[in-house]
Amino acid sequence: MLLVLGSGVAIAAPLFQETFDGPAALGNAAFDTQFLTGRVQAGALHLFYSTEPNSQPNALSCMLPAVSRPPEERRTVLHFGGGGADVSNSVFVSYAVGPGDGLSLIPFPYGPLANGASGYRAGYVIRFLRHGDGTNEIEIYRNDTGWIRKLLNDWLPSNPVRTLRRIDIRHRRNGEHLIAVRFDTGVAYERTYRFIDASFPPGNLYRGIQFIAKAHSAMKTELTYQTDTWIVVDEYGPGARRPEPRNEPAARAIQKPSAPMEEMVARAESLFAQSDTQSAADLCLQILNQDGDHADAQDMLGRIERLSGNLSDAHRLLSRALDARRRAYPPDHPKVAESMLHLAGLFAARDSARADSLYQGAVEIMEKRLGTSHPDLVPFLHEQARFHEYQKTFSKAGPMYLRILSILENSYGLRDLRLLPVLTDVGKLCAVTKQYAPSDSFLSRALEIGQTAYGETHPAVITALQALELLYELQHLDDKSEPVYRRLIEFQTRRSGDLTHTARRMNNLGMIYQRKSHFQDAETMFLKSIETWTRAMGPGYFELPDILGNLSLLYQATGQLEKAEAVYLRGLEIRKKEQGTNHPEVARTLNNLATLNHQLKRFDRAIQYYQEALAALDNATDPEVVNQAHVCYQLLTLYSARDQYLAAEQAGRRALSVFEKEEATLRPHLLATLRALSRLYDKMGRSMEASYFAHRAGMIEMR
């Protein structure tokens, strides 16, 4: 039998065909309807879905029949009748979907119910998207079991969800993808896309198709989408016919690399160790051009992609390297352990259970081959210890670090350079877990070893110094922190790169100088910090008001009130722009301005700022009741001094109601409020109430 697709070219009988002509269509054994809400009517499948937030996607999955050998090209043609609405709306076509459960989707920003339908599936995802702002887009992704990489996107003149009529996917074994998409807005138009990606070739392993509809809007709307004929055809080249289906073939054995390629791998490892990742990657690609299954090249290229942030590529390469090494070597070979270690590092931030299993498996392989105290075991234990530290399972990380130190000290002595990174890590862990004395000992030792070997500016020495910085900060040891801050600031100002850490250290050093009453030095540091922040992040960066606030407090403490006010106002402007008028930090800045104007005897302006601060706190997302009470107390004293008795009484009563509930921690504030109310009522000639509040204050003092 011959069929004719849209091009008019006759082709062989299809691998799969469904026309949705009757309700029995959904009984096709190839379909998985667990995520489907819909029915077949009028010769089409109608999917019913909702714009309600956190609603589940509506989808139909299809697993194509297995074939005896991979085709040269798999052509998939799906037809649509449109639907949806002019809201934030998506339809997806996923193809070459690998085995597993759930849908092959990019992550939704739509809530846990929507995301819960996604599974760790491999394949390609085409998304037809109507944005909430009315713009229209096609996006194409590679989904590697949840590791997502966007391959291309295109902006469209019309809503692609409503106007989509046909998609024709030609997926070739050589990695070429040709995708023709037809739309109909009254006048038909077509877009064609081409890209190269050989991650998931057509065949038995990657043979799933999924069609998914999902929408999201502030208003709940019920939507319908239609699809009708689906056709899939495999082509095997000139004169070839499609073989009969049978079970999937076993994977071929991987040959161990030849000597010349081993030399290329060694050269690539050397370049990688020198941080020349581009040259190392180029060399790995040369190797893979000669042998596409070369495990060592895939492993190194995967590590490079991970460092570059291309996690989907990293996962694909590292997984293939591990599979290849497991086929090429015995199960307890160091190469297998090495691959497990590298793949564990990728999973550490996403799937801690999988990462832990891989780390432990790698360590067990090496212990079986080398014993429990061999120095070649250290890299595996060190990565596992860092993982547990990252997971905050400190009870596991600490003993591992100590075990590593013992192995290295017994193998190389107490002052060997290989101890440096481990001493730094265990010292930092001790600091975080408040074991300050051991931390100081480990880090001081690390610094001494590093400076002796490298000098004072080597990155490993700076890392140890930064750990000491953390240790001293946690203990508030100004005398020890000061020289560390100065040294790190001096080092960083001589280097290009991220200036934000330098700006923070300048601010911290300024605060130390202020606490020591070295006001000129403090001012210099605050000004340098502000200038560095501005240079690094722009004049409106959200952290800048913190340093401006510190400078204002310095000016206020040294009697430079006009300067303090100008700096406060600059910080207030940034905070309102970045955080909104009702943020607690805006309220704090307004409160400081009010206090300053109170000092300057600008009482009307002080009252205005206190009122604005109270309004910001009242309207904040999470009102800070105690801070509201403090502002009310200040308004009580100002209103009372200006004989605004009713306003003073209201503010005082509000402050009192809070301080009474918090007497255990705010007793001095409760006493001050009671006395202020007593004085207020005395001024108002309400002697009984004045006596009552004075008596209450006296009774509290006696307790």
Side-chain angles (χ1 to χ4, degrees):
M1 181 180 74
L2 291 179
L3 290 178
V4 177
L5 294 182
S7 62
V9 177
I11 60 172
L15 174 68
F16 176 84
Q17 180 177 2
E18 180 55 65
T19 58
F20 299 105
D21 285 335
L26 293 179
N28 191 320
F31 287 140
D32 178 353
T33 59
Q34 66 171 313
F35 295 106
L36 177 67
T37 302
R39 63 176 177 266
V40 175
Q41 61 185 42
L45 172 63
H46 294 248
L47 284 79
F48 307 112
Y49 62 113
S50 172
T51 63
E52 184 177 14
N54 196 27
S55 58
Q56 185 167 292
N58 195 354
L60 178 64
S61 297
C62 175
M63 188 59 67
L64 299 173
V67 294
S68 60
R69 62 188 177 91
E72 293 300 315
E73 175 183 290
R74 175 158 289 173
R75 186 174 183 186
T76 303
V77 182
L78 309 180
H79 295 82
F80 303 95
D86 289 322
V87 296
S88 181
N89 201 2
S90 300
V91 291
F92 302 80
V93 174
S94 299
Y95 66 97
V97 178
D101 297 318
L103 303 177
S104 176
L105 282 173
I106 61 172
F108 278 122
Y110 298 153
L113 187 61
N115 289 329
S118 298
Y120 286 155
R121 307 291 291 271
Y124 301 97
V125 182
I126 308 170
R127 184 184 191 188
F128 300 88
L129 176 61
R130 169 74 169 189
H131 289 284
D133 62 3
T135 54
N136 310 291
E137 189 177 9
I138 289 181
E139 302 170 331
I140 301 179
Y141 295 85
R142 180 179 68 230
N143 181 5
D144 186 356
T145 62
W147 305 101
I148 303 296
R149 181 164 186 181
K150 183 183 284 189
L151 300 173
L152 59 84
N153 73 299
D154 182 31
W155 295 93
L156 298 174
S158 67
N159 182 345
V161 180
R162 295 191 66 154
T163 62
L164 177 64
R165 292 297 176 266
R166 194 183 94 158
I167 180 168
D168 185 346
I169 304 165
R170 306 182 75 142
H171 179 200
R172 292 172 177 161
R173 191 177 177 188
N174 64 3
E176 183 180 29
H177 302 245
L178 291 173
I179 299 174
V181 188
R182 182 174 297 173
F183 304 93
D184 185 1
T185 58
V187 177
Y189 71 97
E190 190 167 294
R191 287 280 204 275
T192 301
Y193 306 98
R194 177 183 181 274
F195 63 93
I196 302 294
D197 189 286
S199 303
F200 311 119
N204 290 333
L205 186 58
Y206 306 107
R207 64 176 192 251
I209 304 170
Q210 294 180 339
F211 174 66
I212 305 139
K214 180 72 183 78
H216 178 76
S217 175
M219 297 180 61
K220 181 179 179 180
T221 305
E222 301 301 327
L223 304 175
T224 302
Y225 206 88
Q226 298 180 44
T227 179
D228 46 36
T229 305
W230 292 14
I231 301 174
V232 180
V233 177
D234 282 352
E235 297 184 3
Y236 290 85
R241 63 185 179 85
R242 180 170 60 84
E244 293 302 314
R246 67 176 182 83
N247 292 334
E248 298 178 19
R252 70 180 180 87
I254 303 298
Q255 299 298 316
K256 295 183 181 180
S258 63
M261 284 194 181
E262 284 293 281
E263 293 173 6
M264 294 174 71
V265 169
R267 174 63 180 152
E269 284 283 4
S270 175
L271 291 167
F272 184 78
Q274 298 169 42
S275 299
D276 188 355
T277 54
Q278 184 59 58
S279 298
D282 291 343
L283 201 53
C284 288
L285 290 172
Q286 291 179 35
I287 297 169
L288 291 171
N289 283 336
Q290 299 177 50
D291 177 2
D293 291 318
H294 196 288
D296 291 349
Q298 288 187 105
D299 183 81
M300 183 177 302
L301 198 55
R303 283 181 282 156
I304 293 169
E305 293 291 0
R306 180 190 167 197
L307 288 174
S308 302
N310 299 323
L311 302 185
S312 174
D313 289 336
H315 178 258
R316 176 173 55 88
L317 289 160
L318 293 173
S319 297
R320 289 184 175 182
L322 176 58
D323 290 342
R325 285 173 168 174
R326 280 174 167 162
R327 294 195 296 270
Y329 300 108
D332 62 346
H333 195 277
K335 286 285 188 181
V336 175
E338 181 184 71
S339 272
M340 293 173 71
L341 185 73
H342 297 157
L343 195 56
L346 182 66
F347 274 101
R350 171 181 141 173
D351 186 341
S352 59
R354 176 80 184 278
D356 196 13
S357 175
L358 287 165
Y359 278 125
Q360 189 59 33
V363 168
E364 288 173 359
I365 288 173
M366 298 305 293
E367 286 180 332
K368 183 177 179 181
R369 290 185 69 91
L370 302 172
T372 59
S373 58
H374 195 283
D376 287 350
L377 189 61
V378 165
F380 296 85
L381 290 171
H382 200 172
E383 288 299 316
Q384 189 180 25
R386 283 175 166 168
F387 164 72
H388 284 300
E389 183 178 2
Y390 176 80
Q391 294 293 318
K392 300 189 185 305
T393 50
F394 301 136
S395 61
K396 293 182 178 180
M400 284 184 185
Y401 281 132
L402 295 177
R403 178 185 172 189
I404 296 166
L405 277 179
S406 177
I407 292 172
L408 291 174
E409 288 171 348
N410 290 332
S411 300
Y412 305 115
L414 299 178
R415 299 181 57 80
D416 189 84
L417 193 55
R418 281 164 282 206
L419 292 165
L420 173 55
V422 186
L423 286 166
T424 301
D425 284 345
V426 72
K428 187 165 59 175
L429 177 64
C430 287
V432 170
T433 54
K434 299 184 179 180
Q435 301 175 67
Y436 298 133
S439 175
D440 204 342
S441 175
F442 287 130
L443 293 175
S444 298
R445 188 175 159 200
L447 201 60
E448 182 183 356
I449 291 172
Q451 288 177 159
T452 301
Y454 294 133
E456 295 194 346
T457 59
H458 190 275
V461 175
I462 296 302
T463 301
L465 201 61
Q466 289 167 341
L468 272 173
E469 172 190 35
L470 172 65
L471 172 65
Y472 297 149
E473 283 178 352
L474 290 171
Q475 298 177 88
H476 307 290
L477 300 176
D478 285 354
D479 288 339
K480 290 191 173 184
S481 292
E482 181 182 341
V484 174
Y485 283 139
R486 284 204 307 264
R487 187 169 162 187
L488 288 170
I489 290 168
E490 181 183 359
F491 169 75
Q492 289 181 312
T493 51
R494 293 202 305 261
R495 293 166 55 92
S496 58
D498 186 4
L499 296 173
T500 58
H501 295 302
T502 304
R504 289 191 185 100
R505 290 185 176 106
M506 289 173 171
N507 175 64
N508 292 345
L509 187 55
M511 294 175 71
I512 289 175
Y513 287 145
Q514 184 171 353
R515 287 193 288 270
K516 291 184 172 184
S517 299
H518 299 168
F519 298 127
Q520 188 61 52
D521 291 334
E523 180 184 16
T524 300
M525 277 298 125
F526 288 142
L527 290 171
K528 283 185 176 181
S529 178
I530 292 166
E531 189 274 332
T532 305
W533 269 120
T534 303
R535 184 152 46 96
M537 305 301 294
Y541 190 60
F542 75 94
E543 285 195 44
L544 194 55
D546 292 334
I547 296 94
L548 290 167
N550 291 335
L551 180 60
S552 299
L553 290 171
L554 173 67
Y555 286 146
Q556 201 168 350
T558 55
Q560 302 176 74
L561 303 185
E562 299 291 345
K563 279 187 175 182
E565 182 177 32
V567 179
Y568 274 136
L569 289 170
R570 180 181 169 188
L572 180 64
E573 182 182 359
I574 296 171
R575 287 204 188 280
K576 284 184 175 180
K577 183 178 178 181
E578 294 296 319
Q579 299 171 306
T581 56
N582 295 326
H583 194 278
E585 291 298 335
V586 171
R588 270 185 269 281
T589 306
L590 287 164
N591 186 75
N592 290 338
L593 275 164
T595 303
L596 178 65
N597 278 276
H598 198 166
Q599 283 182 270
L600 290 166
K601 303 191 184 304
R602 300 173 183 164
F603 300 122
D604 289 338
R605 195 178 295 181
I607 288 173
Q608 178 187 339
Y609 282 132
Y610 279 132
Q611 288 172 337
E612 290 180 21
L614 187 59
L617 290 169
D618 287 343
N619 295 316
T621 305
D622 186 14
E624 298 179 356
V625 177
V626 172
N627 286 335
Q628 290 170 336
H630 287 308
V631 176
C632 286
Y633 172 77
Q634 297 297 335
L635 284 170
L636 161 63
T637 60
L638 278 169
Y639 284 141
S640 180
R642 298 178 68 76
D643 297 336
Q644 296 174 251
Y645 297 139
L646 180 59
E649 183 180 20
Q650 290 174 342
R653 291 280 188 173
R654 182 174 174 184
L656 182 64
S657 67
V658 175
F659 293 144
E660 283 176 330
K661 294 176 184 177
E662 305 291 337
E663 180 182 349
T665 55
L666 298 173
R667 188 181 181 203
H669 301 284
L670 173 60
L671 286 169
T673 305
L674 288 168
R675 291 187 180 116
L677 280 169
S678 176
R679 290 192 296 271
L680 171 66
Y681 287 124
D682 189 55
K683 287 179 67 176
M684 296 170 68
R686 294 160 62 175
S687 57
M688 290 184 63
E689 288 161 296
S691 297
Y692 168 74
F693 284 108
H695 176 72
R696 281 193 60 192
M699 293 298 293
I700 290 172
E701 279 190 313
M702 291 173 62
R703 287 207 295 263

